[in-house]
């Protein structure tokens, strides 16, 4: 996991030192998506790059989510939008997204398309969440679809992309994810 953290920081440092300084204040999670990639594709230079990209995308989505939800905290720490304002949080999220996509294009097109498509789904799920928060929702299927799009698609895509890297059964690993 040290290689993962170092690669994420190296990618962000390529953007600029201020972005790296801000990113270092983002509350880190358990790196579930990266662990899944390493479990499927083993830890290698290529899997570390992929895992770093996926974790930057996940962090970007959380930065944007915190702004949408007007969250003061994330994982027990003050959120970036609380500390520095919504504009800074959104722009840091955009930097993470754009840097992740810049690095993603170096991968095989099927790997890149898998991750990119999941980000579209993730964004669609977030839009559903925003709309559903406006009034009481009693449709359990709609709620579960929103959760799938907003959360599960990136996990599924990480597993699928790792299977593509490792030459393993893509459908079984995507389903597992």
């Amino acid at each position: 996991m040290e290689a993962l953290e170092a690669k994420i920081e190296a990618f962000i440092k390529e953007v600029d030192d201020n972005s790296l300084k801000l990113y270092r204040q983002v509350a880190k999670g358990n790196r579930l998506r990266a662990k899944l990639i390493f479990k499927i594709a083993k830890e290698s230079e290529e899997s570390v790059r992929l895992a770093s990209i996926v974790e930057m995308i996940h962090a970007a989505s959380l930065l944007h989510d915190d702004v949408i939800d007007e969250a003061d905290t994330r994982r027990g720490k003050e959120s970036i939008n609380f500390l520095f304002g919504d504009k800074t949080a959104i722009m840091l999220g955009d930097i993470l997204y754009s840097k992740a996509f810049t690095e993603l294009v170096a991968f095989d097109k099927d790997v890149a398309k898998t991750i990119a498509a999941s980000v579209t789904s993730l964004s669609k799920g977030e839009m559903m969440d925003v709309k559903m928060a406006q009034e009481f929702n009693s449709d359990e299927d709609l709620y579960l679809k929103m959760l799938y799009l907003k959360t599960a698609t990136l996990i599924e895509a990480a597993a699928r992309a790792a299977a593509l890297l490792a030459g393993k059964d893509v459908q079984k690993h995507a389903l597992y994810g």
Side-chain angles (χ1 to χ4, degrees):
M1 297 305 283
E2 288 179 28
L4 171 76
E5 299 303 331
K7 180 55 79 176
I8 292 170
E9 289 209 2
F11 280 156
I12 298 169
K13 187 167 177 52
E14 288 174 9
V15 175
D16 64 41
D17 289 333
N18 187 54
S19 296
L20 181 57
K21 180 180 172 188
L22 285 169
Y23 174 77
R24 285 179 173 157
Q25 295 185 61
V26 173
K28 308 299 186 283
N30 61 12
R31 303 297 197 204
L32 171 70
R33 291 146 200 82
K35 289 175 183 174
L36 183 59
I37 290 168
F38 297 150
K39 184 76 170 170
I40 296 167
K42 307 294 180 228
E43 194 167 328
S44 68
E45 185 177 326
E46 191 172 38
S47 67
V48 168
R49 282 182 27 243
L50 178 63
S52 299
I53 289 164
V54 169
E55 290 296 341
M56 287 192 308
I57 288 168
H58 180 59
S61 74
L62 295 179
L63 285 162
H64 288 181
D65 186 60
D66 286 347
V67 171
I68 291 166
D69 294 345
E70 299 176 355
D72 296 343
T73 61
R74 166 69 62 184
R75 298 180 178 124
K77 289 179 61 177
E78 292 176 323
S79 61
I80 297 297
N81 57 301
F82 179 78
L83 291 171
F84 303 103
D86 290 346
K87 292 176 184 178
T88 297
I90 290 168
M91 291 314 303
L92 180 59
D94 288 354
I95 286 168
L96 295 177
Y97 271 136
S98 58
K99 182 59 176 169
F101 278 97
T102 299
E103 298 301 328
L104 187 59
V105 298
F107 281 89
D108 170 81
K109 77 175 178 96
D110 290 334
V111 171
K113 188 173 182 179
T114 294
I115 301 300
S118 76
V119 176
T120 302
S121 295
L122 184 155
S123 299
K124 183 178 173 184
E126 186 66 54
M127 287 288 288
M128 287 176 71
D129 189 18
V130 168
K131 184 176 181 186
M132 290 169 67
Q134 293 172 354
E135 58 187 57
F136 182 77
N137 172 57
S138 61
D139 186 337
E140 182 179 0
D141 290 336
L142 185 63
Y143 180 72
L144 292 174
K145 180 179 179 180
M146 180 271 296
L147 289 177
Y148 169 76
L149 291 170
K150 186 175 168 179
T151 303
T153 54
L154 189 57
I155 298 169
E156 178 184 26
R160 177 185 298 273
L164 286 165
L165 281 184
K168 294 183 176 178
D169 187 312
V170 174
Q171 292 306 97
K172 285 182 182 177
H173 286 84
L175 180 60
Y176 176 77

